[in-house]
């Protein structure tokens, strides 16, 4: 038989908001005329904890090697396992194998296949260095700063993008947003990122 892991994906990264890893799942199949899939088992290791412990049936972590039995669909074509509580900043290894219903002489077992993924639930942090906070300047041709995603644990997904808003709130009743060409409605502006630095050059010399 054959199993496929749909989520997580190899070399993937998962956060604690819009891409949270709460369910591990995939598909499975046996060749036409085969005995069918009997079970799909997973093994999950925390690679960033001493000893690289295994997830146990009771959702604790221990150094004892353990295979977790997933829940199969009625047609034995889909499997799933409720995810544990992950530690942010850690990398995990997932191993999978399927077993069929053959009894004589013994079940056929799929060759174990593995993948690795990162859980990074801490958002990155950006800082503006130019202009200075509460400072005064006659002209301003660019805005720049720094950004980091290394805020906990040894593994992190990295910075995908930095966006900023430039707001003129001289008139407290009406705020104006810099659009890249002038002042208008609310807008976020993408900046050029070369971690750990970022810079926005679209401000020109406007007041």
């Amino acid at each position: 038989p054959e199993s496929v892991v749909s989520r997580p994906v190899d070399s993937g990264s998962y956060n604690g908001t819009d891409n949270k890893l709460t369910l591990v799942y995939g598909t499975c199949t046996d060749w036409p005329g085969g005995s069918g899939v009997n079970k799909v088992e997973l093994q999950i290791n925390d690679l960033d904890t001493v000893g690289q412990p295994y997830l146990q049936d009771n959702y604790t972590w221990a150094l004892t090697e353990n295979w977790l039995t997933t829940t199969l669909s009625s047609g034995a074509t889909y499997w799933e396992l409720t995810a544990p509580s992950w530690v942010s900043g850690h990398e995990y290894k997932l191993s999978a194998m399927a077993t069929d219903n053959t009894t004589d002489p013994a079940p056929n077992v799929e060759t174990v296949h593995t993948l690795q993924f990162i859980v990074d639930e801490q958002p990155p942090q950006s800082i503006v260095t130019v202009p200075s906070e509460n400072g005064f300047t006659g002209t301003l041709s660019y805005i720049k700063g720094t950004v980091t995603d290394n805020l906990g644990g040894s593994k992190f997904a990295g910075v995908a993008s930095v966006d900023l808003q430039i707001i003129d709130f001289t008139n407290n009743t009406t705020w104006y947003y810099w659009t890249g060409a002038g002042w208008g409605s609310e807008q976020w502006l993408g900046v050029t990122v070369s971690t750990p630095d970022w810079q926005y050059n679209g401000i020109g010399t406007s007041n």
Side-chain angles (χ1 to χ4, degrees):
E2 181 180 83
S3 62
V4 175
V5 180
S6 302
R7 185 177 177 86
V9 298
D10 192 26
S11 301
S13 57
Y14 299 87
N15 60 29
T17 53
D18 61 343
N19 192 30
K20 193 170 185 178
L21 184 59
T22 58
L23 189 68
V24 178
Y25 61 86
T27 59
C28 52
T29 186
D30 197 14
W31 62 278
S35 61
V37 177
N38 175 264
K39 62 181 178 179
V40 174
E41 297 172 284
L42 304 180
Q43 191 176 81
I44 302 176
N45 295 83
D46 183 344
L47 300 182
D48 285 293
T49 294
V50 176
Q52 298 185 347
Y54 301 85
L55 181 64
Q56 304 297 306
D57 292 340
N58 62 358
Y59 282 75
T60 61
W61 298 87
L63 298 181
T64 304
E65 184 174 348
N66 185 56
W67 285 92
L68 304 155
T69 302
T70 66
T71 300
L72 278 181
S73 65
S74 59
T77 57
Y78 169 87
W79 58 265
E80 65 179 35
L81 180 77
T82 300
S85 296
W86 309 107
V87 178
S88 182
H90 282 209
E91 185 174 18
Y92 294 88
K93 177 183 176 182
L94 185 149
S95 305
M97 65 176 178
T99 302
D100 71 8
N101 289 299
T102 302
T103 57
D104 186 17
N108 296 302
V109 181
E110 177 187 24
T111 300
V112 174
H113 53 101
T114 66
L115 59 83
Q116 294 179 201
F117 61 94
I118 292 171
V119 174
D120 180 2
E121 298 182 343
Q122 296 296 321
Q125 182 180 77
S126 61
I127 298 172
V128 177
T129 57
V130 176
S132 59
E133 185 175 8
N134 296 322
F136 295 89
T137 181
T139 59
L140 185 65
S141 59
Y142 61 84
I143 297 173
K144 70 176 183 178
T146 60
V147 63
T148 181
D149 191 40
N150 186 9
L151 298 174
S154 60
K155 304 293 169 55
F156 45 92
V159 177
S161 63
V162 175
D163 298 282
L164 62 82
Q165 279 187 335
I166 305 170
I167 307 171
D168 179 353
F169 57 94
T170 305
N171 180 348
N172 283 330
T173 61
T174 305
W175 288 12
Y176 299 97
Y177 298 81
W178 182 251
T179 66
W183 299 97
S185 58
E186 182 173 357
Q187 183 170 332
W188 285 93
L189 305 164
V191 307
T192 301
V193 180
S194 180
T195 309
D197 301 308
W198 61 264
Q199 183 163 317
Y200 177 69
N201 297 312
I203 190 62
T205 56
S206 297
N207 292 330

